[in-house]
Amino acid sequence: MRRFLSLTVPLALLACNGSPPQPAEKGTKPAPTPGASATPLADTGTVPHPTKLRGFGNWVAGCDNGATCQAGSLAPEDGDPPALMLSIERAAGPDGAVAIRLRGVTLPALPLTAAIDGEAVARGGTADDDAVTLGGAPALALAQRMAQGGTLTITDATGATAATLSMKGAAAALRWIDAAQGRDGTTGALVAKGARPDTRPAPALPVVRAPVVRGESALLDPLLVTRMRAKADCDGDDLPDVTTKPLGNGRTLAIVPCSLGAYNLLSALFVVERGEATLAAFEAEPGGDSGGDTSLAFNASFADGILETNALGRGLGDCGVRQRYAWDGSRFRLIEQREMDDCRGNADFIRTWVARLIR
């Protein structure tokens, strides 16, 4: 199985063939952090420091800076991958809620039944476009039982087996999450239970203030496009057209394709104002490394003041780095980062950084 290299190592992406609130969805604002003070008016100016993922056998785990943690199943190093991949996410704070998600090409007919070593533990589930989710008491019971078993079997509404997953490493991953959330030795732990009450509050999240972007994008002079491609040292001429988006205050974002691979389009980002173009500034560099002097964004898109990038480790989309940035009027600020280091079938990337976006 392929392992996706970390952000600090150049990625051979072009040629290879690999509770705190949830961050705001496109066009929305995140909910307040439970237990936190009233929404601060000031931008905290926090420098992003995404956390690292940890591997545990056929499982991987990680947490964001707000102590929301997630563990995910991985396909075995040898043999066929299971039909479904499973993720366990737990919110921070006292008695943080547990959600279990199942993803696959074909989702099981509901209600599903989850059994550990042949013993039924949970039943139910709700479905959306790409996942089945189990929440509440059934999800908590299943997560706790998974740490004690060897095999998880998922059956659909007809009783047919939808997937069989190895629990090798699940107990260690969940125990690591207990420690990361400060629950080890408490009544709220999933694995490392103890007598102490589960009272550790959720950490406050950093705040990024960014204006609502209004206006229209400018028409670009073809000579300016040529100069931008030259400045970014773009590869060849057979590239997609430049995309322009308004940044407000008479400025335009130019997304300039520079290099095209099998499943990654790398683009240089420029801010155009009064006919002049300067490379866009980033608080934290986009994921992936093109190997050149200019930072390039992978598979970039921009809407409503939010830039999204997606550096794919391989065409299946089960590894890489996904990021969301807010334009604050002078630079792009990282508001969310999700990662999956191992190219082993689980496309439910784990969040390693999050900030509250205030507009």
Side-chain angles (χ1 to χ4, degrees):
M1 297 293 177
R2 190 192 309 271
R3 182 174 177 83
F4 185 82
L5 301 180
S6 69
L7 294 181
T8 58
V9 180
L11 305 178
L13 293 177
L14 294 179
C16 65
N17 286 323
S19 128
Q22 299 295 317
E25 297 297 328
K26 299 177 184 178
T28 66
K29 296 181 180 179
T33 304
S37 59
T39 300
L41 297 178
D43 189 310
T44 58
T46 305
V47 177
H49 290 290
T51 59
K52 303 294 184 183
L53 303 185
R54 292 284 303 273
F56 301 92
N58 290 333
W59 286 76
V60 61
C63 302
D64 63 26
N65 51 300
T68 289
C69 297
Q70 181 177 323
S73 66
L74 299 173
E77 293 282 3
D78 300 311
D80 296 329
L84 298 171
M85 303 302 289
L86 183 145
S87 295
I88 306 169
E89 183 174 84
R90 191 170 198 191
D95 302 315
V98 175
I100 293 178
R101 293 186 294 272
L102 290 162
R103 297 177 185 269
V105 176
T106 302
L107 298 178
L110 299 179
L112 62 78
T113 299
I116 299 293
D117 297 336
E119 178 184 351
V121 177
R123 181 177 172 84
T126 59
D128 57 25
D129 291 339
D130 62 355
V132 167
T133 301
L134 193 67
L140 178 60
L142 180 57
Q144 291 173 331
R145 185 67 179 83
M146 284 168 60
Q148 306 167 22
T151 302
L152 168 65
T153 303
I154 303 295
T155 56
D156 65 15
T158 69
T161 299
T164 301
L165 293 88
S166 167
M167 294 297 99
K168 180 182 178 182
L174 295 176
R175 184 181 295 276
W176 181 85
I177 286 176
D178 281 342
Q181 294 185 324
R183 300 187 204 273
D184 48 339
T186 74
T187 56
L190 294 174
V191 180
K193 285 187 174 295
R196 292 186 293 108
D198 180 12
T199 58
R200 183 172 177 175
L205 297 180
V207 173
V208 170
R209 292 195 66 87
V212 176
V213 172
R214 295 185 174 90
E216 297 181 356
S217 55
L219 295 175
L220 301 184
D221 186 323
L223 291 177
L224 180 61
V225 173
T226 299
R227 291 199 298 270
M228 287 190 291
R229 290 195 190 278
K231 186 171 184 178
D233 194 23
C234 296
D235 297 335
D237 298 320
D238 190 17
L239 292 167
D241 293 336
V242 174
T243 300
T244 58
K245 297 289 184 178
L247 287 177
N249 297 322
R251 287 171 292 185
T252 293
L253 174 67
I255 301 176
V256 182
C258 273
S259 188
L260 181 62
Y263 41 82
N264 283 307
L265 174 62
L266 282 69
S267 299
L269 273 58
F270 287 85
V271 177
V272 179
E273 186 174 14
R274 298 185 180 94
E276 297 295 329
T278 57
L279 284 167
F282 283 84
E283 175 188 50
E285 293 299 312
D289 190 342
S290 61
D293 295 331
T294 301
S295 295
L296 301 179
F298 287 61
N299 303 312
S301 62
F302 183 80
D304 300 323
I306 303 298
L307 173 71
E308 298 192 4
T309 69
N310 184 13
L312 296 174
R314 64 176 181 173
L316 291 177
D318 59 348
C319 53
V321 182
R322 299 171 186 160
Q323 294 163 305
R324 298 178 68 231
Y325 296 86
W327 173 255
D328 72 355
S330 62
R331 59 178 176 161
F332 285 105
R333 308 279 301 282
L334 186 65
I335 58 173
E336 183 183 21
Q337 181 162 309
R338 290 181 178 269
E339 304 178 51
M340 186 61 74
D341 290 344
D342 292 289
C343 305
R344 294 174 60 185
N346 195 332
D348 194 349
F349 284 24
I350 297 174
R351 194 170 67 196
T352 57
W353 177 262
V354 63
R356 295 182 64 191
L357 175 60
I358 306 296
R359 286 178 153 170

PDB file of all heavy atoms in Angstrom, residues 288-308:
ATOM      1  N   GLY A 288       1.153  19.708  -0.314  1.00  0.00           N
ATOM      2  CA  GLY A 288       1.835  19.201  -1.491  1.00  0.00           C
ATOM      3  C   GLY A 288       3.018  20.080  -1.830  1.00  0.00           C
ATOM      4  O   GLY A 288       3.091  21.244  -1.443  1.00  0.00           O
ATOM      5  N   ASP A 289       3.955  19.541  -2.574  1.00  0.00           N
ATOM      6  CA  ASP A 289       5.167  20.273  -2.937  1.00  0.00           C
ATOM      7  C   ASP A 289       5.478  19.967  -4.387  1.00  0.00           C
ATOM      8  O   ASP A 289       5.737  18.829  -4.748  1.00  0.00           O
ATOM      9  CB  ASP A 289       6.323  19.859  -2.033  1.00  0.00           C
ATOM     10  CG  ASP A 289       7.547  20.744  -2.201  1.00  0.00           C
ATOM     11  OD1 ASP A 289       7.636  21.438  -3.230  1.00  0.00           O
ATOM     12  OD2 ASP A 289       8.400  20.729  -1.317  1.00  0.00           O
ATOM     13  N   SER A 290       5.447  21.007  -5.211  1.00  0.00           N
ATOM     14  CA  SER A 290       5.702  20.826  -6.638  1.00  0.00           C
ATOM     15  C   SER A 290       7.185  20.716  -6.943  1.00  0.00           C
ATOM     16  O   SER A 290       7.578  20.406  -8.062  1.00  0.00           O
ATOM     17  CB  SER A 290       5.115  21.990  -7.425  1.00  0.00           C
ATOM     18  OG  SER A 290       5.718  23.211  -7.013  1.00  0.00           O
ATOM     19  N   GLY A 291       8.029  21.014  -5.958  1.00  0.00           N
ATOM     20  CA  GLY A 291       9.462  20.926  -6.161  1.00  0.00           C
ATOM     21  C   GLY A 291      10.096  22.181  -6.711  1.00  0.00           C
ATOM     22  O   GLY A 291      11.309  22.245  -6.880  1.00  0.00           O
ATOM     23  N   GLY A 292       9.306  23.235  -6.976  1.00  0.00           N
ATOM     24  CA  GLY A 292       9.836  24.480  -7.509  1.00  0.00           C
ATOM     25  C   GLY A 292       9.949  25.551  -6.446  1.00  0.00           C
ATOM     26  O   GLY A 292       9.667  25.329  -5.264  1.00  0.00           O
ATOM     27  N   ASP A 293      10.368  26.742  -6.883  1.00  0.00           N
ATOM     28  CA  ASP A 293      10.527  27.853  -5.948  1.00  0.00           C
ATOM     29  C   ASP A 293       9.201  28.523  -5.595  1.00  0.00           C
ATOM     30  O   ASP A 293       9.077  29.151  -4.548  1.00  0.00           O
ATOM     31  CB  ASP A 293      11.479  28.906  -6.539  1.00  0.00           C
ATOM     32  CG  ASP A 293      12.899  28.375  -6.711  1.00  0.00           C
ATOM     33  OD1 ASP A 293      13.273  27.486  -5.926  1.00  0.00           O
ATOM     34  OD2 ASP A 293      13.603  28.837  -7.623  1.00  0.00           O
ATOM     35  N   THR A 294       8.201  28.386  -6.473  1.00  0.00           N
ATOM     36  CA  THR A 294       6.898  29.010  -6.250  1.00  0.00           C
ATOM     37  C   THR A 294       5.938  27.996  -5.633  1.00  0.00           C
ATOM     38  O   THR A 294       5.813  26.867  -6.118  1.00  0.00           O
ATOM     39  CB  THR A 294       6.306  29.529  -7.575  1.00  0.00           C
ATOM     40  OG1 THR A 294       7.209  30.474  -8.152  1.00  0.00           O
ATOM     41  CG2 THR A 294       4.964  30.195  -7.344  1.00  0.00           C
ATOM     42  N   SER A 295       5.245  28.402  -4.569  1.00  0.00           N
ATOM     43  CA  SER A 295       4.245  27.531  -3.956  1.00  0.00           C
ATOM     44  C   SER A 295       3.036  27.437  -4.873  1.00  0.00           C
ATOM     45  O   SER A 295       2.466  28.455  -5.274  1.00  0.00           O
ATOM     46  CB  SER A 295       3.823  28.082  -2.593  1.00  0.00           C
ATOM     47  OG  SER A 295       4.906  28.067  -1.693  1.00  0.00           O
ATOM     48  N   LEU A 296       2.643  26.221  -5.207  1.00  0.00           N
ATOM     49  CA  LEU A 296       1.510  25.991  -6.089  1.00  0.00           C
ATOM     50  C   LEU A 296       0.388  25.300  -5.319  1.00  0.00           C
ATOM     51  O   LEU A 296       0.641  24.479  -4.439  1.00  0.00           O
ATOM     52  CB  LEU A 296       1.927  25.136  -7.287  1.00  0.00           C
ATOM     53  CG  LEU A 296       3.046  25.698  -8.166  1.00  0.00           C
ATOM     54  CD1 LEU A 296       3.359  24.729  -9.298  1.00  0.00           C
ATOM     55  CD2 LEU A 296       2.676  27.070  -8.719  1.00  0.00           C
ATOM     56  N   ALA A 297      -0.836  25.657  -5.654  1.00  0.00           N
ATOM     57  CA  ALA A 297      -2.011  25.064  -5.009  1.00  0.00           C
ATOM     58  C   ALA A 297      -2.529  23.921  -5.870  1.00  0.00           C
ATOM     59  O   ALA A 297      -2.667  24.058  -7.089  1.00  0.00           O
ATOM     60  CB  ALA A 297      -3.092  26.123  -4.814  1.00  0.00           C
ATOM     61  N   PHE A 298      -2.840  22.797  -5.225  1.00  0.00           N
ATOM     62  CA  PHE A 298      -3.301  21.605  -5.923  1.00  0.00           C
ATOM     63  C   PHE A 298      -4.825  21.628  -6.040  1.00  0.00           C
ATOM     64  O   PHE A 298      -5.538  21.767  -5.048  1.00  0.00           O
ATOM     65  CB  PHE A 298      -2.874  20.344  -5.162  1.00  0.00           C
ATOM     66  CG  PHE A 298      -1.412  20.011  -5.253  1.00  0.00           C
ATOM     67  CD1 PHE A 298      -0.443  20.889  -4.781  1.00  0.00           C
ATOM     68  CD2 PHE A 298      -0.995  18.816  -5.812  1.00  0.00           C
ATOM     69  CE1 PHE A 298       0.905  20.576  -4.861  1.00  0.00           C
ATOM     70  CE2 PHE A 298       0.354  18.486  -5.893  1.00  0.00           C
ATOM     71  CZ  PHE A 298       1.307  19.375  -5.421  1.00  0.00           C
ATOM     72  N   ASN A 299      -5.314  21.482  -7.284  1.00  0.00           N
ATOM     73  CA  ASN A 299      -6.760  21.360  -7.538  1.00  0.00           C
ATOM     74  C   ASN A 299      -7.540  22.457  -6.817  1.00  0.00           C
ATOM     75  O   ASN A 299      -8.492  22.194  -6.081  1.00  0.00           O
ATOM     76  CB  ASN A 299      -7.250  19.976  -7.125  1.00  0.00           C
ATOM     77  CG  ASN A 299      -6.493  18.862  -7.844  1.00  0.00           C
ATOM     78  OD1 ASN A 299      -6.326  18.901  -9.049  1.00  0.00           O
ATOM     79  ND2 ASN A 299      -5.999  17.879  -7.097  1.00  0.00           N
ATOM     80  N   ALA A 300      -7.126  23.697  -7.032  1.00  0.00           N
ATOM     81  CA  ALA A 300      -7.673  24.835  -6.288  1.00  0.00           C
ATOM     82  C   ALA A 300      -9.010  25.301  -6.851  1.00  0.00           C
ATOM     83  O   ALA A 300      -9.243  25.278  -8.067  1.00  0.00           O
ATOM     84  CB  ALA A 300      -6.671  25.997  -6.321  1.00  0.00           C
ATOM     85  N   SER A 301      -9.882  25.726  -5.939  1.00  0.00           N
ATOM     86  CA  SER A 301     -11.141  26.384  -6.313  1.00  0.00           C
ATOM     87  C   SER A 301     -11.410  27.495  -5.302  1.00  0.00           C
ATOM     88  O   SER A 301     -10.962  27.425  -4.148  1.00  0.00           O
ATOM     89  CB  SER A 301     -12.300  25.386  -6.336  1.00  0.00           C
ATOM     90  OG  SER A 301     -12.514  24.832  -5.043  1.00  0.00           O
ATOM     91  N   PHE A 302     -12.144  28.522  -5.737  1.00  0.00           N
ATOM     92  CA  PHE A 302     -12.374  29.686  -4.876  1.00  0.00           C
ATOM     93  C   PHE A 302     -13.815  30.142  -5.047  1.00  0.00           C
ATOM     94  O   PHE A 302     -14.300  30.334  -6.170  1.00  0.00           O
ATOM     95  CB  PHE A 302     -11.417  30.820  -5.252  1.00  0.00           C
ATOM     96  CG  PHE A 302     -11.519  32.035  -4.368  1.00  0.00           C
ATOM     97  CD1 PHE A 302     -10.897  32.075  -3.127  1.00  0.00           C
ATOM     98  CD2 PHE A 302     -12.251  33.149  -4.778  1.00  0.00           C
ATOM     99  CE1 PHE A 302     -10.972  33.189  -2.315  1.00  0.00           C
ATOM    100  CE2 PHE A 302     -12.344  34.278  -3.967  1.00  0.00           C
ATOM    101  CZ  PHE A 302     -11.709  34.295  -2.737  1.00  0.00           C
ATOM    102  N   ALA A 303     -14.510  30.331  -3.922  1.00  0.00           N
ATOM    103  CA  ALA A 303     -15.895  30.817  -3.936  1.00  0.00           C
ATOM    104  C   ALA A 303     -16.214  31.437  -2.591  1.00  0.00           C
ATOM    105  O   ALA A 303     -15.803  30.928  -1.546  1.00  0.00           O
ATOM    106  CB  ALA A 303     -16.879  29.676  -4.232  1.00  0.00           C
ATOM    107  N   ASP A 304     -16.938  32.574  -2.619  1.00  0.00           N
ATOM    108  CA  ASP A 304     -17.390  33.241  -1.392  1.00  0.00           C
ATOM    109  C   ASP A 304     -16.246  33.538  -0.426  1.00  0.00           C
ATOM    110  O   ASP A 304     -16.393  33.418   0.796  1.00  0.00           O
ATOM    111  CB  ASP A 304     -18.462  32.397  -0.686  1.00  0.00           C
ATOM    112  CG  ASP A 304     -19.684  32.163  -1.562  1.00  0.00           C
ATOM    113  OD1 ASP A 304     -20.059  33.088  -2.302  1.00  0.00           O
ATOM    114  OD2 ASP A 304     -20.252  31.065  -1.512  1.00  0.00           O
ATOM    115  N   GLY A 305     -15.093  33.892  -0.967  1.00  0.00           N
ATOM    116  CA  GLY A 305     -13.968  34.243  -0.117  1.00  0.00           C
ATOM    117  C   GLY A 305     -13.218  33.067   0.467  1.00  0.00           C
ATOM    118  O   GLY A 305     -12.306  33.264   1.276  1.00  0.00           O
ATOM    119  N   ILE A 306     -13.561  31.839   0.054  1.00  0.00           N
ATOM    120  CA  ILE A 306     -12.928  30.635   0.589  1.00  0.00           C
ATOM    121  C   ILE A 306     -12.192  29.908  -0.532  1.00  0.00           C
ATOM    122  O   ILE A 306     -12.777  29.574  -1.565  1.00  0.00           O
ATOM    123  CB  ILE A 306     -13.955  29.685   1.232  1.00  0.00           C
ATOM    124  CG1 ILE A 306     -14.727  30.398   2.344  1.00  0.00           C
ATOM    125  CG2 ILE A 306     -13.254  28.440   1.777  1.00  0.00           C
ATOM    126  CD1 ILE A 306     -13.874  30.883   3.491  1.00  0.00           C
ATOM    127  N   LEU A 307     -10.909  29.664  -0.306  1.00  0.00           N
ATOM    128  CA  LEU A 307     -10.088  28.884  -1.227  1.00  0.00           C
ATOM    129  C   LEU A 307     -10.001  27.456  -0.719  1.00  0.00           C
ATOM    130  O   LEU A 307      -9.710  27.231   0.456  1.00  0.00           O
ATOM    131  CB  LEU A 307      -8.683  29.485  -1.318  1.00  0.00           C
ATOM    132  CG  LEU A 307      -7.648  28.685  -2.108  1.00  0.00           C
ATOM    133  CD1 LEU A 307      -7.962  28.722  -3.600  1.00  0.00           C
ATOM    134  CD2 LEU A 307      -6.237  29.197  -1.838  1.00  0.00           C
ATOM    135  N   GLU A 308     -10.254  26.503  -1.600  1.00  0.00           N
ATOM    136  CA  GLU A 308     -10.123  25.091  -1.252  1.00  0.00           C
ATOM    137  C   GLU A 308      -9.039  24.463  -2.118  1.00  0.00           C
ATOM    138  O   GLU A 308      -8.987  24.696  -3.331  1.00  0.00           O
ATOM    139  CB  GLU A 308     -11.450  24.352  -1.434  1.00  0.00           C
ATOM    140  CG  GLU A 308     -12.562  24.868  -0.531  1.00  0.00           C
ATOM    141  CD  GLU A 308     -13.774  23.957  -0.509  1.00  0.00           C
ATOM    142  OE1 GLU A 308     -13.713  22.882  -1.148  1.00  0.00           O
ATOM    143  OE2 GLU A 308     -14.758  24.301   0.151  1.00  0.00           O
TER     144      GLU A 308
END
